[in-house]
Coordinates of all heavy atoms in Angstrom, one line a residue:
L116 N 32.7 42.6 -47.2 CA 33.0 41.3 -47.0 C 33.3 40.5 -48.3 O 32.5 40.4 -49.2 CB 31.7 40.5 -46.3 CG 31.9 39.1 -46.0 CD1 33.1 38.9 -45.1 CD2 30.6 38.5 -45.4
V118 N 34.4 37.4 -50.3 CA 34.1 36.0 -50.2 C 34.9 35.3 -51.4 O 34.7 35.6 -52.6 CB 32.6 35.6 -50.4 CG1 32.4 34.2 -50.3 CG2 31.8 36.4 -49.2
D120 N 34.8 32.6 -53.5 CA 33.8 31.6 -53.9 C 33.5 31.9 -55.4 O 33.0 33.1 -55.6 CB 32.6 31.7 -53.1 CG 31.6 30.6 -53.4 OD1 31.6 30.1 -54.6 OD2 30.7 30.3 -52.5
V132 N 21.9 48.8 -43.7 CA 21.7 48.5 -42.2 C 21.3 49.9 -41.6 O 22.0 50.9 -41.7 CB 23.0 48.1 -41.6 CG1 22.7 47.7 -40.1 CG2 23.6 46.9 -42.4
E140 N 19.6 43.7 -51.1 CA 19.4 44.0 -52.5 C 20.4 43.3 -53.3 O 21.6 43.4 -53.1 CB 19.5 45.5 -52.7 CG 19.3 46.0 -54.2 CD 19.5 47.5 -54.4 OE1 19.5 48.2 -53.3 OE2 19.6 47.9 -55.5
R157 N 13.8 42.0 -55.6 CA 14.1 43.5 -55.4 C 14.3 43.7 -54.0 O 14.2 42.8 -53.1 CB 13.0 44.3 -56.0 CG 11.6 44.0 -55.4 CD 10.6 44.8 -56.1 NE 9.2 44.6 -55.7 CZ 8.4 43.8 -56.1 NH1 8.8 42.9 -57.1 NH2 7.1 43.7 -55.6
V169 N 24.4 33.3 -50.5 CA 25.1 34.0 -51.6 C 26.2 33.0 -52.2 O 27.1 32.6 -51.4 CB 25.9 35.2 -51.0 CG1 26.7 35.9 -52.0 CG2 24.9 36.3 -50.4
G170 N 26.0 32.5 -53.4 CA 26.8 31.4 -53.9 C 26.6 30.3 -53.1 O 25.5 29.8 -52.8
S181 N 21.0 44.7 -26.8 CA 21.9 45.0 -25.7 C 21.3 45.1 -24.3 O 22.0 45.1 -23.3 CB 22.7 46.3 -25.9 OG 21.8 47.4 -26.1
A184 N 20.3 39.5 -21.5 CA 21.5 38.6 -21.4 C 21.3 37.4 -22.2 O 20.2 37.1 -22.6 CB 21.6 38.2 -19.9
G189 N 24.9 32.3 -20.4 CA 24.9 32.7 -19.1 C 25.5 34.1 -19.0 O 25.8 34.8 -19.9
A214 N 3.9 36.6 -49.5 CA 2.8 37.5 -49.8 C 3.2 38.9 -49.4 O 2.7 39.9 -49.8 CB 1.5 37.1 -49.1
A227 N 20.6 20.1 -51.6 CA 21.9 19.9 -52.2 C 21.8 19.7 -53.7 O 22.6 20.1 -54.4 CB 22.4 18.6 -51.5
D239 N 30.6 24.7 -66.1 CA 30.5 24.8 -67.5 C 31.0 26.1 -68.1 O 31.7 26.2 -69.1 CB 29.1 24.5 -67.9 CG 28.9 23.5 -69.0 OD1 30.0 23.0 -69.5 OD2 27.8 23.1 -69.4
S246 N 39.7 28.6 -68.4 CA 40.3 29.1 -67.1 C 40.5 27.9 -66.2 O 39.6 27.6 -65.4 CB 39.6 30.3 -66.4 OG 40.1 30.4 -65.2
E248 N 42.3 27.3 -63.6 CA 42.3 27.5 -62.2 C 40.9 27.7 -61.7 O 40.5 27.2 -60.7 CB 43.2 28.8 -62.0 CG 43.3 29.1 -60.5 CD 44.2 30.3 -60.1 OE1 44.8 30.8 -61.1 OE2 44.1 30.7 -59.1
G251 N 39.0 24.5 -61.8 CA 39.4 23.5 -60.8 C 38.8 23.9 -59.5 O 38.3 23.0 -58.7
K281 N 32.5 14.6 -66.6 CA 32.9 15.4 -67.8 C 34.0 16.4 -67.4 O 35.0 16.6 -68.0 CB 31.7 16.1 -68.4 CG 32.1 16.9 -69.6 CD 30.9 17.7 -70.2 CE 30.5 18.9 -69.4 NZ 29.5 19.7 -70.0
T290 N 45.1 20.1 -67.8 CA 46.2 20.4 -66.9 C 47.3 19.3 -67.0 O 48.4 19.5 -66.4 CB 45.7 20.5 -65.5 OG1 45.2 19.2 -65.0 CG2 44.6 21.6 -65.4
H292 N 47.3 16.8 -65.1 CA 47.4 16.4 -63.7 C 46.6 15.1 -63.4 O 45.3 15.2 -63.5 CB 47.0 17.5 -62.7 CG 47.9 18.7 -62.8 ND1 47.6 19.9 -62.3 CD2 49.2 18.9 -63.3 CE1 48.6 20.8 -62.5 NE2 49.6 20.2 -63.0
D297 N 42.3 10.6 -60.2 CA 42.2 10.1 -58.8 C 40.9 10.4 -58.2 O 40.2 9.6 -57.6 CB 43.4 10.5 -57.9 CG 44.7 10.1 -58.3 OD1 44.9 9.2 -59.1 OD2 45.7 10.8 -57.9
V309 N 29.9 1.6 -61.7 CA 30.9 1.3 -62.7 C 30.8 2.4 -63.8 O 29.7 2.8 -64.2 CB 30.6 -0.1 -63.4 CG1 31.7 -0.5 -64.4 CG2 30.3 -1.1 -62.4
L315 N 35.0 5.3 -70.3 CA 36.1 4.4 -70.4 C 36.9 4.6 -71.6 O 38.1 4.5 -71.5 CB 35.6 2.9 -70.2 CG 35.1 2.5 -68.9 CD1 34.3 1.2 -69.0 CD2 36.3 2.3 -67.9
V322 N 44.7 8.6 -70.3 CA 45.8 7.9 -69.5 C 47.0 7.9 -70.3 O 48.2 8.1 -69.8 CB 45.4 6.6 -69.0 CG1 46.6 5.7 -68.6 CG2 44.4 6.7 -67.8
R323 N 46.9 7.5 -71.6 CA 48.1 7.4 -72.5 C 48.7 8.8 -72.7 O 49.9 8.9 -72.6 CB 47.7 6.8 -73.8 CG 47.4 5.4 -73.8 CD 47.1 4.8 -75.2 NE 46.8 3.4 -75.2 CZ 45.6 2.9 -75.2 NH1 44.5 3.8 -75.1 NH2 45.3 1.6 -75.2
R324 N 47.8 9.8 -72.9 CA 48.4 11.1 -73.3 C 49.0 11.9 -72.2 O 50.0 12.6 -72.3 CB 47.2 12.0 -73.9 CG 47.0 11.6 -75.4 CD 46.3 12.6 -76.2 NE 44.8 12.6 -75.8 CZ 44.1 13.7 -75.4 NH1 44.6 14.8 -75.3 NH2 42.8 13.5 -75.2
N329 N 49.9 6.5 -61.5 CA 49.7 6.3 -60.1 C 48.5 5.4 -60.0 O 47.3 5.9 -60.2 CB 49.4 7.6 -59.4 CG 49.3 7.3 -57.8 OD1 49.3 6.1 -57.4 ND2 49.0 8.3 -57.1
L358 N 38.1 -1.7 -66.9 CA 38.8 -1.1 -65.9 C 40.1 -1.8 -65.5 O 41.1 -1.3 -65.2 CB 37.9 -0.8 -64.7 CG 37.0 0.3 -64.8 CD1 35.9 0.3 -63.7 CD2 37.7 1.7 -64.7
E359 N 40.0 -3.2 -65.5 CA 41.1 -4.0 -65.2 C 42.2 -3.8 -66.2 O 43.4 -3.7 -66.0 CB 40.7 -5.5 -65.2 CG 39.7 -5.9 -64.1 CD 40.3 -6.2 -62.7 OE1 41.4 -5.9 -62.5 OE2 39.5 -6.6 -61.8

Side-chain angles (χ1 to χ4, degrees):
L116 178 59
V118 179
D120 183 340
V132 187
E140 179 181 348
R157 57 183 181 268
V169 176
S181 57
D239 229 354
S246 174
E248 183 180 346
K281 179 184 74 173
T290 65
H292 293 162
D297 294 341
V309 188
L315 285 166
V322 161
R323 289 188 181 93
R324 281 197 282 127
N329 182 2
L358 281 165
E359 300 275 9

